[in-house]
Amino acid sequence: LTKGQKLSSYDWIVYPVNGLAVGTYEATMTFVERCDAALETPATAKVTFTVTPKRLIETEVSPEGAGTVTGAGEFADGETVTLTATANENYRFDHWERGSDSVSTNPYAFETTKAEKVTAVFERTAYKVSISASPSEGGTVSADAFEGASANLEKGTAVSVTAVPKEGYRFLYWKDNGNQVGSAATVSVSAIVDHEMVAYFEKLTETEIPGAPELTYNGGEQTAVADTELY
């Protein structure tokens, strides 16, 4: 610009100070050309600020530990909230519960009108089944639905587990999650909960070992008997 030349218009940006409480504020501002104040007559304008309240949007997960949610926090009235649910292993996202509404969209966006809590509901898709022997040297265990000591199985999968004692041991019973469930060597469970299956074995006594001599007493003296022969 040459000296004395005037601008046809100005753009001014006015920011409120931090920390204002909720409410409406008015102020009269004076605008002066900073390069050369003599170029333009200072202008005044009335400025109005409205400070809107912040609404706290909280989230929770059901069941606990099934997944995570991002996007919660404080928002002004009318501001858009976008919540995103991420499922953990063995779960899938099912729906949101917001008041009486049920919404299956993920991510879920809505406008803030009040402080509220939104719940992300997940569904279990798989359950863990594990098998072991006690004592470990007492026998072997196996499952028809998987190999190894454990697996995550699709919800509702039927599993048969079998215990086989090793030489010198006998099978006693199975425990499922700490509860005795039967003395049959093979039992079946369904993957609708997590199962920790433990087969319990007992060491045979010397007289119970196949082929071992039978022990009898004769006048208080112990005598070994095997195959009807005394020795």
Side-chain angles (χ1 to χ4, degrees):
L1 298 176
T2 60
K3 187 175 181 179
Q5 185 177 357
K6 297 182 179 180
L7 295 175
S8 59
S9 63
Y10 295 95
D11 291 323
W12 302 92
I13 300 177
V14 181
Y15 296 96
V17 298
N18 292 326
L20 292 177
V22 174
T24 300
Y25 300 84
E26 293 184 352
T28 299
M29 313 296 295
T30 299
F31 303 94
V32 179
E33 167 43 46
R34 297 179 61 184
C35 295
D36 188 345
L39 293 180
E40 291 287 346
T41 303
T44 60
K46 186 176 181 180
V47 181
T48 301
F49 295 104
T50 300
V51 180
T52 58
K54 292 287 187 178
R55 308 295 189 182
L56 179 61
I57 304 300
E58 299 178 280
T59 59
E60 62 181 4
V61 170
S62 178
E64 185 177 354
T68 57
V69 177
T70 58
E74 289 188 337
F75 300 86
D77 282 352
E79 192 173 354
T80 298
V81 181
T82 302
L83 302 178
T84 302
T86 303
N88 288 339
E89 185 180 11
N90 299 333
Y91 289 89
R92 71 169 183 84
F93 171 76
D94 190 68
H95 66 278
W96 299 97
E97 291 181 355
R98 180 178 169 225
S100 59
D101 295 334
S102 177
V103 181
S104 59
T105 303
N106 187 37
Y108 174 37
F110 58 91
E111 288 189 359
T112 306
T113 59
K114 60 182 180 180
E116 56 187 316
K117 180 178 291 185
V118 183
T119 301
V121 180
F122 296 85
E123 181 181 9
R124 190 76 180 261
T125 59
Y127 291 88
K128 184 177 182 179
V129 178
S130 62
I131 55 176
S132 62
S134 179
S136 57
E137 67 273 14
T140 59
V141 291
S142 61
D144 64 352
F146 60 90
E147 296 181 358
S150 65
N152 291 322
L153 303 177
E154 184 179 351
K155 182 178 180 180
T157 301
V159 185
S160 291
V161 295
T162 300
V164 179
K166 292 183 179 179
E167 185 176 355
Y169 287 85
R170 66 165 162 253
F171 169 72
L172 294 177
Y173 49 77
W174 283 98
K175 277 190 175 182
D176 180 8
N177 296 331
N179 300 310
Q180 187 172 330
V181 293
S183 57
T186 299
V187 297
S188 295
V189 296
S190 181
I192 55 175
V193 297
D194 291 329
H195 293 278
E196 185 178 353
M197 306 292 296
V198 181
Y200 286 82
F201 299 90
E202 181 181 57
K203 194 169 186 178
L204 298 175
T205 63
E206 185 177 347
T207 57
E208 292 175 314
I209 298 174
E214 297 180 5
L215 299 180
T216 63
Y217 288 88
N218 182 13
E221 295 182 0
Q222 186 169 277
T223 304
V225 180
D227 297 332
T228 69
E229 294 183 5
L230 299 178
Y231 60 101

